[in-house]
Amino acid sequence: MLSGEGTSAAYIPARRETYEKYKALPDYPAWIRGRFNPVQWAADPNRRSDYFDAHTPVPEMEGAADTIEGVAGSAGRVEGIVRFLSGPEGGDQLQKGEILLAATTNVG
């Protein structure tokens, strides 16, 4: 584009359309194993938002409607006050002794 050649500009509408399509999808599962097609996954009314395994069907989650199930970050069991954080900008809200609940986390 900087050199004056405009052929790359022809791809902008298609790339914008693809971007908008993926932007409209729900958040991906925290754990994904195997080949993942986000459009196909999002179209499944019985999809799980916590786990996706292309190789093994995962049974539907059990438990009461007021129960939150997920994947533990360490071994053991604990009960206590839970604080849900939707992003790192809310980290200062987490109080000593609270259990962090997040849709996704990473080592960083």
Side-chain angles (χ1 to χ4, degrees), residues 14-50:
R15 288 182 178 177
R16 182 170 285 137
E17 181 181 336
T18 300
Y19 169 78
E20 293 298 333
K21 177 174 131 183
Y22 282 94
K23 183 178 155 188
L25 294 175
D27 291 338
Y28 295 168
W31 285 29
I32 297 174
R33 179 174 177 249
R35 186 172 297 273
F36 179 69
N37 180 327
V39 176
Q40 183 180 9
W41 168 81
D44 180 0
N46 297 318
R47 70 179 179 268
R48 288 186 56 175
S49 60
D50 61 334

Side-chain angles (χ1 to χ4, degrees), residues 27-101:
D27 291 338
Y28 295 168
W31 285 29
I32 297 174
R33 179 174 177 249
R35 186 172 297 273
F36 179 69
N37 180 327
V39 176
Q40 183 180 9
W41 168 81
D44 180 0
N46 297 318
R47 70 179 179 268
R48 288 186 56 175
S49 60
D50 61 334
Y51 185 86
F52 175 84
D53 188 341
H55 307 291
T56 307
V58 179
E60 290 191 27
M61 293 177 60
E62 300 176 11
D66 62 347
T67 301
I68 298 173
E69 296 183 22
V71 180
S74 61
R77 291 183 154 231
V78 66
E79 290 185 21
I81 297 173
V82 175
R83 170 123 10 224
F84 174 72
L85 297 179
S86 59
E89 61 279 348
D92 61 335
Q93 298 172 16
L94 188 64
Q95 301 297 311
K96 184 175 182 176
E98 289 183 332
I99 301 165
L100 171 62
L101 175 64

